[in-house]
Amino acid sequence: MHSKKAKFVSRNGRALLMLIVVVSACKREQRQFDPPPTTTNPAIVQSELQPGGAPQPQTSTKSPVEENANALSDGKRLFSLYNCTGCHANGGGAIGPALMDETWIYGSDPASIHSTIVEGRPNGMPSFRGKISDYQVWELSAYVRSLSGQLRKDVAPGRSDDMNVHRSEQRVERKTPQQSTIPKAAEQP
Amino acid sequence: MTEITGTAGVPPASRNASTEVTAKPSNSAFHEVGRDGRDPSEDEREIKELERVWACPPGIYGWFTDTDHKAIALRYVVTAFVFFLFGGIEALLMRIQLARPESHFLSPDLYNQVFTVHGTTMMFLFAVPIMTAVGIYLVPLMVGTRDVAFPRLNNYGYFVYLIGGILLYVSFFLNTGPDAGWFAYVPLSGPGYSPGKRVDIWAQMISFTEISALSGAVVVIGTVFKMRAPGMSLHRLPLFVWAQLVTSFMIIFAMPAVMLASSLLASDRLIDTHFFNPAEGGDAILYQHMFWFFGHPEVYIIFIPALGFVSSIVITFSRRRIFGYTAMVLSLIATAFLGFGLWVHHMFATPLPQLGQSFFTAASMMIAIPSGVQIFCWIATMWGAKLNIKTPLLFVLGFVAIFVLGGLTGVMLASVPLDLQIHDTFFVVAHLHYVLIGGAVFPLFGAFYFWFPKWTGRMLSERLGKWNFWLMFIGFNLVFFPMHQLGLKGMPRRVYTYLPETGWASLNLLASLGALVLGIGVLIFIVNFFWARRFGAVAGPNPWGADTLEWSLTSPPPAYNFQRIPVVEGRNALWDQSTEAPVVVGLSSTKRETLVSSVVDAVPELRYELPGPSIWPLLLALATAETFIVGIFTPWAFLVGAVLTFAVFVGWFFGNPNYENVDAKQPPDETNFASEDLRAEEA
């Protein structure tokens, strides 16, 4: 009787342990405090990217931070610290395009946004190559994606501690990304 | 009404003519017969019946449904003690980290989690629950009744607490341990600076433990006010029970504040509310007020039950009545009242008006008066008495020494200029451990040694007990006394490491060595526990010659506690008992029946059938768990939880109302007895 009970407990204990291991696979809470530095002397690279419907370069690079709440929170802070807000406002767009809508000119996947930040884009978007670390670029691109609800809600940041102009990133509705042609304003004369 | 019969004249409770009870010939065998005049075979039959009626259902199902307050309380004690060990291990990890400068034993992130989980565990999962737990075990025994007032609520409280504790530790092992300190100040704990779900886990864990504490408090108040044995008027209530009663009232007034704070924090984090966002009209200081309106009384919620332990132990081991009973009771109540009026002394570093500073300084210093009164009353009780120096008393003496030191630094911290200087330094860490370990853990260990024989039937080893005490006492002072000095030298709390040039290294090393000694002391207690379970001397009903009613029972007491509820004849129930030992007769032994008495004078009012084992408390606990745990991720959980809870309530209240306890063979007038009385009362 007693050993049966012990067996029952140990079997259930093992099941519980398995469950814990499975659940612990989630990356949401990992925190990376010393991301690897970017090379200080980057080679000059020519962009192969085309706006509009042109085929996008096939990158196999996967964002390392899309499931990581801490990185997104950092991304949110960097978004103002690096003055992304200067052109994109709080995601609603000003002289730069809006980031919280469904329209994407240069692709909505993490790798495309990453290269948008690194390479820069015609008509205003500067290149940040060599200016900020690669890890921070990933953090920023993940945050940009969270602005239109592309990320999991339990990872996306909550409201800001200041005047809030839109719903927090964890509460925005997910917008289906649509590839846009080049905007009129950005066309060459 | 229930009759009270004693062979020696009229018992105290029925001296009042208006409460004179008429004998109802319900159970003629027991009518007008005292304890000594009973037929032994009748006695045996009655005990057999009681054992059957009060038995816990077998197996795991029984474990989940049992309502016996003693079983639940022991589970509480063991669970809380396990959490105490977890918290202790975290403390040791921190001490290893701080033992030398620039150590990399723990990463800063892990260190943040460790100190937060340590504080949260010790405050919410150990200190408050274990005090309630000891109360839940002893209060019904001390007031002379068969179970607590709301046995199923009691069971529910335990499961909610257990789930909350498991939630915290499972998430800690998943790297989701809260990391914003045990009081989780905004904005650090807010959505902007605490990403992920770590602080949400903290906030919901608070909700679990608060609900459990509130259940415990309601149970204790109900039991103390309405279920006392005849003769135990309020001025004869043991000081232990007074302490539990006062604590329970404090819990009821303090806990809602922190639940509000943690719920508002959770909603700020999850659904974009702005309670603590100054930019949108919220207030970050509001959080501190709400937290400390609970947080300071909580110190007394932990400390006042410990005063109850101390009184019990002092009375027993001085073999004297307490000096200044009335002063003791009034000090307990005064402490409880004042305890609510000084929370702001935790916030002297926030901008406060001058008047506020003066008021809260004065209030903080004033609370030293009732504490001092009690210390002096104990000293007066022990003064000149032939002390029976056993381990429980050693722990009490250790408590007096440590607590006085903690109280002195408390008075220092109450003065604003000094507080501003040493705010958030190790001085505060030293102070709070002196009052909490000195004020609560030492009396608690004394209580373990004191009541262990009652709980298990065996004595803990005195020899190991002395080792345990001295190692803990020396270890404790080695850890925490240097921290005063460290704080004055400017070492801030919650830093994960420090530079060698600061000159803090040697004192920190000393503290870490002390932590090792303290840890060995606790380890010896565990060894003693397992040794005593197997080899301890058999205790018998009253090994210490103590005075309260639980010592009149076998060790451990039977499931029904009292075969016949005693009539109390004095403040020290067993010492004042006359040789005739009058008892209450006429309570049914064929159902879970006990006596309900009046609030002040404990005059018997009616017989009341207590509910028995039920699965609904567990289901309600699970519904609560769904609400709070899933509520970390989506607010819809509250809607689902409301429906689930309502469904469980329907089952609980309108399902089978406890018919399993009623014996079908019982004559109808007997089974309807309690309800008739109820009707009479209403009319």
Side-chain angles (χ1 to χ4, degrees), chain B residues 237-289:
Chain B
L237 209 54
L239 284 170
F240 177 94
V241 181
W242 266 115
Q244 287 286 341
L245 181 67
V246 168
T247 309
S248 302
F249 271 102
M250 291 191 77
I251 288 177
I252 286 182
F253 286 102
M255 294 288 176
V258 73
M259 238 172 109
L260 188 62
S262 69
S263 305
L264 296 188
L265 175 64
S267 75
D268 263 19
R269 294 174 53 85
L270 185 67
I271 53 170
D272 290 11
T273 53
H274 293 280
F275 293 109
F276 306 126
N277 177 10
E280 293 270 24
D283 191 348
I285 297 290
L286 175 68
Y287 178 87
Q288 297 193 16
H289 279 294

Side-chain angles (χ1 to χ4, degrees), chain A residues 12-79:
Chain A
N12 281 288
R14 218 173 298 154
L16 191 71
L17 208 71
M18 287 297 290
L19 187 76
I20 289 175
V21 170
V22 170
V23 174
S24 67
C26 85
K27 295 180 186 159
R28 190 187 61 229
E29 301 292 338
Q30 282 176 9
R31 297 188 180 195
Q32 195 169 357
F33 295 101
D34 305 305
T38 334
T39 47
T40 46
N41 224 347
I44 294 167
V45 186
Q46 196 164 11
S47 174
E48 294 164 6
L49 293 170
Q50 299 292 322
Q56 299 295 318
Q58 294 299 309
T59 23
S60 56
T61 329
K62 200 176 163 296
S63 168
V65 300
E66 294 245 301
E67 290 179 343
N68 188 314
N70 190 53
L72 272 148
S73 177
D74 280 354
K76 181 171 182 166
R77 204 163 306 130
L78 296 177
F79 192 78

Side-chain angles (χ1 to χ4, degrees), chain B residues 31-63:
Chain B
H31 182 53
E32 291 283 338
V33 186
R35 180 176 273 169
D36 300 330
R38 296 173 67 83
D39 180 1
S41 69
E42 272 296 300
D43 236 24
E44 250 171 56
R45 189 186 61 81
E46 196 186 27
I47 288 178
K48 276 223 173 72
E49 264 179 358
L50 280 169
E51 271 169 4
R52 183 179 57 79
V53 168
W54 289 85
C56 153
I60 290 189
Y61 181 79
W63 196 90

Side-chain angles (χ1 to χ4, degrees), chain B residues 2-7 27 29-51 54 140-141 143-146 227-230 549-550 552-554 558-568 574 577 580-589 593-595 607:
Chain B
T2 308
E3 59 188 302
I4 301 169
T5 345
T7 44
N27 205 335
F30 298 167
H31 182 53
E32 291 283 338
V33 186
R35 180 176 273 169
D36 300 330
R38 296 173 67 83
D39 180 1
S41 69
E42 272 296 300
D43 236 24
E44 250 171 56
R45 189 186 61 81
E46 196 186 27
I47 288 178
K48 276 223 173 72
E49 264 179 358
L50 280 169
E51 271 169 4
W54 289 85
L141 297 173
V143 303
T145 186
R146 285 179 170 171
M227 296 174 75
R228 300 198 306 277
L549 281 175
E550 79 272 26
S552 66
L553 301 169
T554 54
Y560 48 88
N561 291 356
F562 295 90
Q563 184 198 350
R564 258 161 265 118
I565 288 173
V567 174
V568 176
L574 295 189
Q577 204 171 40
E580 288 82 7
V583 293
V584 173
V585 297
L587 282 181
S588 169
S589 56
E593 197 169 73
T594 191
L595 191 66
R607 303 178 347 180

Side-chain angles (χ1 to χ4, degrees), chain B residues 389-534:
Chain B
I389 304 227
K390 292 277 167 53
T391 313
L393 190 66
L394 277 182
F395 274 102
V396 164
L397 296 176
F399 148 79
V400 172
I402 295 174
F403 185 72
V404 167
L405 271 174
L408 287 176
T409 51
V411 174
M412 289 163 77
L413 284 168
S415 54
V416 179
L418 193 65
D419 184 80
L420 282 176
Q421 191 64 31
I422 50 187
H423 184 79
D424 263 354
T425 65
F426 261 71
F427 192 89
V428 176
V429 178
H431 162 72
L432 77 92
H433 284 93
Y434 262 83
V435 282
L436 286 173
I437 297 189
V441 176
F442 271 75
L444 182 71
F445 272 76
F448 283 157
Y449 278 88
F450 186 52
W451 278 296
F452 186 85
K454 184 49 65 190
W455 294 345
T456 64
R458 287 180 185 272
M459 308 286 284
L460 284 165
S461 155
E462 270 299 309
R463 197 188 160 85
L464 283 173
K466 294 227 159 63
W467 274 99
N468 179 3
F469 169 73
W470 284 111
L471 283 175
M472 273 181 73
F473 186 76
I474 295 168
F476 170 81
N477 283 296
L478 275 180
V479 193
F480 294 106
F481 201 80
M483 287 188 189
H484 292 115
Q485 180 72 8
L486 280 171
L488 293 174
K489 281 174 143 186
M491 181 167 170
R493 64 196 288 203
R494 297 176 175 175
V495 286
Y496 90 106
T497 194
Y498 51 91
L499 293 173
E501 292 80 10
T502 51
W504 301 333
S506 49
L507 283 174
N508 267 309
L509 185 63
L510 183 63
S512 296
L513 291 176
L516 194 67
V517 178
L518 183 58
I520 293 172
V522 175
L523 200 64
I524 285 184
F525 174 76
I526 298 167
V527 170
N528 200 350
F529 172 84
F530 284 108
W531 178 86
R533 291 285 288 157
R534 185 160 290 221

